[in-house]
Amino acid sequence: YEGNPVHRVVKGGWIQCGDVVDGSGLNSFAAVEETGKFRDESFSVDFGAEMGGIVGYSTKAPHSNGSLFFITLGSCDWMNNKSVGFGRVVQGFTVLKEIEVAQMKNERPTSPSILITSCGEMRMKVDA
């Protein structure tokens, strides 16, 4: 995802990115399966978090998860049992709010500098 732009911002809703093909938001391709898509997993994540920060897959149809994802900017209860959530923001909420108020044209940031500059895997210690 490094270098990938945020291609859509719905104020009060969500930030969307993850088009690893050309950044337009039209492509969603996962590095699994020959199709580049994988099945829905579970609808157990609650998108009602008031602060937002819930991460989920952006899809157009059931069982079509790919590389596109979104991060909620507030409570999105209507997504419950419709979208698959797989994570949550644990720090950096101020960055989400800064992205939300950036200049947009048709829900697309006008600044090319709103992009993922660094990414990786965060491992958290879980007490047993």
Side-chain angles (χ1 to χ4, degrees):
Y1 290 109
E2 196 166 319
N4 197 262
V6 169
H7 64 263
R8 185 176 184 204
V9 178
V10 177
K11 293 181 189 259
W14 63 90
I15 293 168
Q16 192 171 339
C17 49
D19 180 341
V20 295
V21 177
D22 65 10
S24 70
L26 299 174
N27 307 287
S28 186
F29 192 83
V32 296
E33 306 290 330
E34 288 182 25
T35 64
K37 305 289 183 211
F38 58 96
R39 297 183 59 78
D40 291 336
E41 295 161 338
S42 168
F43 294 105
S44 62
V45 172
D46 181 3
F47 288 93
E50 254 185 75
M51 288 182 63
I54 304 299
V55 185
Y57 294 113
S58 296
T59 63
K60 293 182 180 177
H63 307 299
S64 62
N65 299 303
S67 58
L68 289 181
F69 67 94
F70 62 84
I71 304 170
T72 61
L73 295 168
S75 178
C76 291
D77 286 327
W78 62 270
M79 291 181 176
N80 289 338
N81 299 313
K82 294 179 182 152
S83 295
V84 175
F86 62 87
R88 66 183 175 94
V89 173
V90 294
Q91 64 184 26
F93 282 94
T94 55
V95 174
L96 295 180
K97 294 303 177 185
E98 287 177 22
I99 293 171
E100 183 177 20
V101 299
Q103 283 287 105
M104 303 288 157
K105 183 174 181 181
N106 298 322
E107 296 183 334
R108 187 173 186 89
T110 56
S111 172
S113 64
I114 300 178
L115 52 88
I116 299 169
T117 58
S118 178
C119 60
E121 188 175 318
M122 182 176 163
R123 298 200 183 260
M124 297 179 71
K125 181 180 177 187
V126 179
D127 293 329

